[in-house]
Amino acid sequence: MKSHRIRHQFLLEPELSEKLDNLSRDPSTTKSAVVAKAVEAFIERRGENELDRRYGVRLDRLSRELAHVRRDAEMILESLALFIRFSITLHAHTQVPDKATQAVAQERFDKFVEQVGRQIASGKRSLGKDNGGGDEA
């Protein structure tokens, strides 16, 4: 039965040839096997470069977009913190609300939470940036 391997002839520098001889001294390893594995590893590494070339631009773009999202979230949190601080400062010296005022405040808060839920579920955004085809509010 014929072998399905193809013979190749090539030249190596003396130092590299000596390293190949050292690697193939083990009776279970041949020079052909060592060279075949080295060529295969070299080709696979070049394939990784192909993956970098194909997907690297996309990954870079996604990284930039994630950085923008992170920046936007930090701005929103900072704005919320400043608003809360302003609101607390503004209302620091008001009288303690009675039961009726607390009930109205709770009702308004519940409506606020419902509105936020509807906006998020519908994809609408109050700041004019819609997420996936929603209309601006």
Side-chain angles (χ1 to χ4, degrees):
M1 185 168 182
K2 278 190 163 184
S3 172
H4 289 91
R5 296 185 295 173
I6 299 173
R7 177 186 278 286
H8 292 275
Q9 291 181 334
F10 51 89
L11 300 173
L12 296 175
E13 296 293 327
E15 303 84 31
L16 190 55
S17 180
E18 186 177 331
K19 289 179 181 179
L20 179 60
D21 286 339
N22 290 337
L23 283 174
S24 63
R25 287 216 170 113
D26 184 0
S28 65
T29 306
T30 64
K31 288 181 183 179
S32 292
V34 171
V35 171
K37 292 234 183 236
V39 169
E40 185 177 0
F42 177 78
I43 290 170
E44 285 177 5
R45 278 196 312 269
R46 290 185 59 99
E48 288 175 4
N49 291 337
E50 173 66 22
L51 289 175
D52 287 344
R53 190 171 57 242
R54 290 178 88 184
Y55 298 112
V57 173
R58 292 178 188 168
L59 291 173
D60 290 343
R61 185 190 47 147
L62 288 172
S63 294
R64 284 190 306 274
E65 289 176 0
L66 181 59
H68 290 303
V69 168
R70 183 176 293 127
R71 183 203 63 208
D72 290 349
E74 288 174 0
M75 286 192 304
I76 290 168
L77 287 173
E78 183 64 22
S79 298
L80 179 61
L82 289 173
F83 174 76
I84 291 170
R85 180 178 291 145
F86 172 76
S87 180
I88 289 171
T89 302
L90 184 66
H91 300 291
H93 300 292
T94 59
Q95 297 176 0
V96 178
D98 59 3
K99 297 273 187 201
T101 305
Q102 287 177 342
V104 169
Q106 184 63 45
E107 181 181 335
R108 289 179 182 171
F109 179 75
D110 291 342
K111 286 182 181 180
F112 168 75
V113 171
E114 288 173 19
Q115 179 64 25
V116 170
R118 281 194 302 273
Q119 289 286 105
I120 290 173
S122 70
K124 293 180 182 179
R125 297 296 181 260
S126 296
L127 296 177
K129 292 183 181 181
D130 72 338
N131 187 15
D135 295 334
E136 292 183 11

